[in-house]
Amino acid sequence: SIYDPLVRYPRQPLYTVNRPNVTRVDNTFDEAIEDFTLEGTIPPEPAKLFAEAALMSDPVKATWNNLYQFNNCDPARVHVPTLVVAGDQDPYAPLHVQQELFLNLGRGCDRTWSILSNCDHAVHLLEGRKRLIKLISSFSLNGKQGEQGAV
């Protein structure tokens, strides 16, 4: 999660002079792999495979110019069943930030916060992916069962 109410992300200037308007940037291997550049986040081979797959599926780089918009999110306004998943080894999404997000979610709907042990930001690519899939499936199925019983 990039949501962190304690971080002030910089904003782009509203008006610029002599600055090119670039709306499309071609992706490269180095840019596709950049999420996994923190040492120990993911072994080199899965990172390489991820970057290759990312380039094949989306040759256009996602530009993250407006990170401040994530902090415009007001968790208290979320009133739908919500699953927050965190890896206890994730260097990008610290547990204290995920806790803040979870605790401030709107009331009145099911919400679950699950911390996967020995997992980091790339849990969906590594050994923890089966636990992640099971967690998501369980959350989805339990939510549907609850709806069927409601009158």
Side-chain angles (χ1 to χ4, degrees), residues 75-140:
R77 295 182 68 185
V78 176
H79 295 284
V80 295
T82 304
L83 173 62
V84 177
V85 180
D88 68 351
Q89 304 296 314
D90 189 341
Y92 294 103
L95 289 178
H96 72 275
V97 175
Q98 303 308 310
Q99 178 183 18
E100 178 80 15
L101 174 68
F102 180 77
L103 291 175
N104 288 297
L105 287 170
R107 305 298 188 257
C109 286
D110 288 348
R111 56 196 177 134
T112 300
W113 181 27
S114 184
I115 302 170
L116 295 174
S117 64
N118 299 315
C119 291
D120 65 12
H121 201 70
V123 64
H124 59 292
L125 302 173
L126 300 171
E127 295 79 26
R129 71 180 168 271
K130 290 181 181 176
R131 289 187 288 151
L132 177 65
I133 291 167
K134 184 177 178 182
L135 177 66
I136 294 169
S137 297
S138 175
F139 180 81
S140 299

Side-chain angles (χ1 to χ4, degrees), residues 10-24:
R11 294 179 181 227
Q12 297 290 326
L14 291 176
Y15 302 99
T16 59
V17 178
N18 298 327
R19 187 170 161 196
N21 182 9
V22 179
T23 56
R24 178 191 163 110

Side-chain angles (χ1 to χ4, degrees), residues 34-112:
E34 73 182 349
D35 280 348
F36 306 110
T37 55
L38 285 181
E39 189 172 331
T41 302
I42 184 173
E45 186 60 24
K48 177 180 169 267
L49 294 172
F50 172 83
E52 290 169 353
L55 286 173
M56 284 192 314
S57 64
D58 192 0
V60 178
K61 179 165 176 56
T63 55
W64 295 78
N65 294 330
N66 301 311
L67 293 177
Y68 68 90
Q69 292 176 338
F70 284 95
N71 286 344
N72 291 343
C73 168
D74 179 2
R77 295 182 68 185
V78 176
H79 295 284
V80 295
T82 304
L83 173 62
V84 177
V85 180
D88 68 351
Q89 304 296 314
D90 189 341
Y92 294 103
L95 289 178
H96 72 275
V97 175
Q98 303 308 310
Q99 178 183 18
E100 178 80 15
L101 174 68
F102 180 77
L103 291 175
N104 288 297
L105 287 170
R107 305 298 188 257
C109 286
D110 288 348
R111 56 196 177 134
T112 300

